[in-house]
Amino acid sequence: MGFEVVMQALTKLVEPTHLLALTGGVLMGLAFGAIPGLSGVVGMALLIPFTFGMPVSVALALMIGMLSVVTTSDTIPAVMFGIPGTAAAQATVLDGHALAKQGRAEEALSVAFVSSIVGGFIGCLFLGLSIPIIRPLIMSIGSPEFFMLGVLGISMVAALSSGNLIRGVMAGVLGILLAMVGPSPQGVYPRWAFGSLYLYDGIPLVPMVLGLFAVPEMIELYVKGTSLSGKLQTQLSFIARTRAAVRQVFRHWFLVVRSALIGTWVGFVPGLGSGAVDWFAYGQAASTEKGARETFGKGDIRGVIAPESANNAKSGGELIPTLAFGVPGGLAMAIFVGALTIHGVIPGPDMLTRHLDLTLLIIWSIPLANVIGGGLCLLGTRYVARLSTVPAHYLVPLLLSLLVFSSFQTSRQVGDLVVLFVFALLGWGMKVTGWSRPTLILGFVMAPILENYFFISVGRYGAQWLGRPGVIIIGLLMIMTWLFFGLSHFQNRKATTAATESEGHKL
Amino acid sequence: MKLLRRSLMSWIMLLPFVFAVVYVLVFADAWLARARVFPLYVGLVGLGLGVAELVVSYVRSSPRPGNGTSARVLDTSFETDLPAAVVSRRSSAILLWLLGLLLGCRLIGFHLAVPAFLALYFRCHGRRNWWTNTLLIAGMWVLIFVVLDTVLRVPWPQPLLQQWYAMLF
């Protein structure tokens, strides 16, 4: 029975219609990822009506093809212009864009695409391995542990930011407070809406991210008045470029695996979503990789590998609760569940018994989609990289226009434009004065999840949730992180003061 | 002088934080209990951090590594050799261009405002290659029409000028 199902799924996988549909989905996914403001959610919403008349396996191929590669092509605007194509490419901006400014866009893009392929493979591998054992694992982790993991994530990023622990956490707190605008998750009570209907829905993430990260990059480009990079450093053939990228990725194989595991985990926890995955991966890379504190944010290829491996692995992670329990891991997955239901397939325990062939088909389609998507992106890298030599007087107005559309596309209200401008001012100010924008965004993304888990923890366990072993372990881990970074910051300051004093003596 | 300006800017950046914390601590009391608990806790943490930052910046004598030196990670920094006055003038100028574009979109609509913005920008920045300029403007307009109008069917808001015109006649 088992072998028959495996063969059945394999046969479907290599059917020309399946491959064609998968490639079609991949092409759509690449387009939706590369245009800022559009995402897997918009793509899925547009795609579903077209799948109604199709056989389930073909419809699945289209949807999986699209969902798997949105986070591959979102790297292109992130690296080239500092504009994250989707929320999952925010952290790629930091080092990817810095590399593009150095004329190394080709290298950054190639390595990002190969990392994405490998990350997608690892996420998928864990999806396949975890399905039989996932139920007891989920039962052992409660809301208090999820809450503490969220706080740990923010505090790690805060501790790493700006070399100033207090300001890092303050930025995170500001992000959390900004996320309080809109309906309270407990009782849908409007907070901080100031009587504005627009604010009743909360501040939308896309115009906020574009304002905080993309507009400041445009301002910098305008201020400097040159192209992104004078000229491209490398002009390799497709084969040589791919080989070099593969070598880079495998040199950092442990980082790739770690980041992909983080991506799978974040995808697996319902609600954490795309906004957090890349920061968690980037944060762990910045805190564990050798010399990262000096080079990250200035064009370190490891700062591209970590988020790119993680965000593609997330698709596999998201599918674990989606398929095994029918609990979607994110908004795009919620639409995916809806589409499956329309086709008569109900996600849940049935996916491991009655529809095992479809589950296996999904699992094998993800790496295939990643290879097709990553391969296509690698083919186009040379041409995309040339965009970094386009003069600023052409690039700035075109990208500003694109940013305005992308922002408006989010909730399609005039308020999006106001949010874009307000956060552009804030983002530029933060960039110039060295306040941490990533911590603010992470606080913003995590706040509703933290609030929910906090209420469930208190409601379910009272004050006793603080005494759970998992909570204590994560709490200790958090304190150790803070102590470690506090001490290293203190030592850095001491070394800087000593160096300044010795220079003063020499003079 | 540069350090003083940077510190001043840094203090200005504290304003949104101060506003958010003070607002939540003062006004959250009026909210429903379930809606105010979490913001109040976060606000109190924020207040503590704000006080700690004040104390630390008061007792600190040397410039902190966070401001533009090598200790800064997890964000891109702005580094340039240009004089501060030039940076301020140019950054204000591009922010005004963006504001103009946003106001234009609201007043005359996206379909007209974007080509007008691009044409004006190219004109003001002294680029006379009209073929390239026209091609870029047309390309952007086609993108609006094909992707946003035809595929996504974005419901553009009615331009304000059109609304006012309709009210007059």
Side-chain angles (χ1 to χ4, degrees):
Chain A
M1 164 71 182
F3 184 72
E4 269 173 34
V5 173
V6 170
M7 287 313 292
Q8 203 178 337
L10 265 179
T11 315
K12 269 187 190 162
L13 183 75
V14 293
E15 269 176 15
T17 44
H18 181 89
L19 290 176
L20 205 65
L22 194 72
T23 311
V26 165
L27 288 173
M28 274 188 73
L30 292 179
F32 277 94
I35 301 175
L38 305 185
S39 61
V41 177
V42 180
M44 282 299 287
L46 281 172
L47 196 62
I48 284 181
F50 296 103
T51 66
F52 286 163
M54 294 176 183
V56 187
S57 60
V58 178
L60 266 179
L62 254 178
M63 290 187 286
I64 289 293
M66 205 197 69
L67 282 175
S68 305
V69 299
V70 167
T71 47
T72 303
S73 58
D74 63 356
T75 314
I76 296 169
V79 169
M80 298 312 304
F81 314 121
I83 304 172
T86 68
Q90 293 167 62
T92 310
V93 169
L94 302 186
D95 281 285
H97 191 54
L99 283 166
K101 282 178 183 171
Q102 295 165 18
R104 294 164 64 195
E106 214 176 302
E107 181 192 346
L109 286 170
S110 306
V111 170
F113 298 143
V114 175
S115 306
S116 295
I117 296 174
V118 179
F121 261 91
I122 296 174
C124 179
L125 185 73
F126 274 85
L127 166 66
L129 291 176
S130 61
I131 279 186
I133 55 158
I134 206 69
R135 199 175 285 266
L137 183 69
I138 284 191
M139 297 306 280
S140 66
I141 302 169
S143 301
E145 286 80 15
F146 279 132
F147 173 79
M148 288 300 286
L149 280 172
V151 179
L152 175 71
I154 295 178
S155 62
M156 270 193 74
V157 174
L160 284 160
S161 292
S162 301
N164 183 333
L165 201 64
I166 299 175
R167 286 197 174 181
V169 185
M170 278 168 85
V173 167
L174 181 61
I176 295 176
L177 290 175
L178 285 171
M180 304 282 163
V181 175
S184 142
Q186 311 300 320
V188 200
Y189 181 82
R191 297 182 297 204
W192 298 54
F194 303 105
S196 153
L197 271 180
Y198 177 78
L199 290 178
Y200 268 51
D201 283 339
I203 300 172
L205 180 65
V206 173
M208 184 180 170
V209 169
L210 292 179
L212 274 176
F213 286 96
V215 177
E217 291 307 323
M218 295 303 104
I219 297 174
E220 186 174 345
L221 207 56
Y222 182 88
V223 167
K224 290 181 176 168
T226 55
S227 59
L228 204 60
S229 65
K231 62 173 188 168
L232 296 174
Q233 274 190 16
T234 47
Q235 286 282 320
L236 300 173
S237 67
F238 169 70
I239 303 280
R241 194 169 59 239
T242 309
R243 199 184 297 144
V246 170
R247 208 177 295 136
Q248 280 268 35
V249 170
F250 280 92
R251 190 185 301 152
H252 302 292
W253 67 270
F254 190 44
L255 174 65
V256 175
V257 174
R258 276 192 336 252
S259 307
L261 286 180
I262 289 174
T264 312
W265 172 255
V266 173
F268 159 75
V269 179
L272 276 186
S274 311
V277 63
D278 52 337
W279 291 123
F280 282 163
Y282 190 89
Q284 67 83 25
S287 58
T288 54
E289 286 292 299
K290 199 175 173 186
R293 298 206 80 191
E294 284 75 42
T295 55
F296 268 44
K298 291 174 178 165
D300 189 321
I301 199 70
R302 295 171 297 177
V304 175
I305 291 174
E308 284 308 309
S309 316
N311 62 23
N312 270 51
K314 187 180 70 74
S315 305
E318 271 186 330
L319 278 167
I320 298 171
T322 308
L323 293 179
F325 309 111
V327 178
L331 195 53
M333 282 298 155
I335 303 175
F336 179 65
V337 167
L340 283 179
T341 314
I342 289 168
H343 284 278
V345 180
I346 312 293
D350 270 1
M351 294 301 288
L352 305 178
T353 51
R354 204 151 62 97
H355 299 302
L356 187 60
D357 57 331
L358 284 181
T359 307
L360 290 175
L361 188 63
I362 290 170
I363 292 171
W364 291 332
S365 295
I366 296 173
L368 197 57
N370 272 294
V371 171
I372 297 171
L376 287 172
C377 285
L378 276 168
L379 271 174
T381 301
R382 170 181 281 190
Y383 309 101
V384 173
R386 284 184 190 156
L387 285 172
S388 64
T389 56
V390 175
H393 61 262
Y394 283 129
L395 216 50
V396 170
L398 290 171
L399 290 176
L400 280 182
S401 309
L402 197 66
L403 285 179
V404 172
F405 296 139
S406 305
S407 301
F408 183 74
Q409 163 59 25
T410 318
S411 59
R412 300 177 174 187
Q413 294 183 61
V414 179
D416 293 338
L417 304 182
V418 180
V419 170
L420 175 77
F421 191 72
V422 169
F423 281 96
L425 291 176
L426 186 66
W428 177 239
M430 289 179 88
K431 183 177 166 112
V432 170
T433 54
W435 280 73
S436 166
R437 293 173 295 171
T439 325
L440 189 147
I441 284 290
L442 195 62
F444 183 83
V445 171
M446 295 295 295
I449 304 151
L450 288 179
E451 188 170 3
N452 257 335
Y453 283 137
F454 175 77
F455 266 92
I456 297 170
S457 304
V458 174
R460 169 75 178 79
Y461 304 100
Q464 286 174 346
W465 71 271
L466 287 164
R468 283 169 68 95
V471 171
I472 294 171
I473 291 168
I474 301 167
L476 285 173
L477 206 63
M478 201 156 64
I479 292 168
M480 277 161 61
T481 310
W482 282 50
L483 280 176
F484 173 76
F485 286 110
L487 281 175
S488 66
H489 175 59
F490 180 70
Q491 279 170 349
N492 272 348
R493 268 175 54 85
K494 237 170 112 176
T496 314
T497 316
T500 318
E501 276 173 7
S502 75
E503 269 178 32
H505 285 307
K506 275 180 199 168
L507 286 171
Chain B
M1 189 63 195
K2 198 175 172 184
L3 195 70
L4 185 74
R5 192 182 298 119
R6 208 178 254 276
S7 313
L8 192 72
M9 278 283 286
S10 216
W11 277 100
I12 291 172
M13 291 314 298
L14 268 175
L15 287 178
F17 180 81
V18 171
F19 172 76
V21 169
V22 169
Y23 186 90
V24 82
L25 292 177
V26 173
F27 293 100
D29 249 1
W31 298 345
L32 287 179
R34 289 172 74 84
R36 73 167 177 253
V37 172
F38 194 69
L40 273 176
Y41 283 148
V42 177
L44 284 172
V45 172
L47 185 69
L49 287 168
V51 172
E53 172 63 17
L54 269 175
V55 173
V56 168
S57 55
Y58 182 74
V59 297
R60 197 191 324 252
S61 52
S62 58
R64 76 190 86 211
N67 291 339
T69 68
S70 62
R72 190 161 166 268
V73 290
L74 274 187
D75 205 349
T76 55
S77 56
F78 175 70
E79 281 154 21
T80 179
D81 298 329
L82 291 167
V86 176
V87 173
S88 304
R89 196 178 61 241
R90 288 188 185 171
S91 48
S92 309
I94 190 64
L95 279 167
L96 283 174
W97 273 105
L98 176 63
L99 187 65
L101 172 63
L102 297 174
L103 287 175
C105 290
R106 189 70 193 103
L107 280 173
I108 57 175
F110 285 81
H111 294 81
L112 284 178
V114 170
F117 163 76
L118 290 175
L120 205 63
Y121 186 97
F122 291 144
R123 177 78 185 80
C124 289
H125 287 78
R127 307 295 156 183
R128 306 283 181 192
N129 188 347
W130 286 106
W131 278 113
T132 314
N133 294 354
T134 312
L135 206 69
L136 289 172
I137 294 169
M140 187 52 86
W141 200 86
V142 168
L143 183 82
I144 302 174
F145 184 74
V146 174
V147 178
L148 300 166
D149 279 356
T150 314
V151 179
L152 297 173
R153 300 187 182 283
V154 174
W156 302 110
Q158 196 182 27
L160 279 180
L161 281 184
Q162 201 179 337
Q163 285 179 33
W164 293 338
Y165 183 80
M167 279 161 64
L168 282 174
F169 301 99

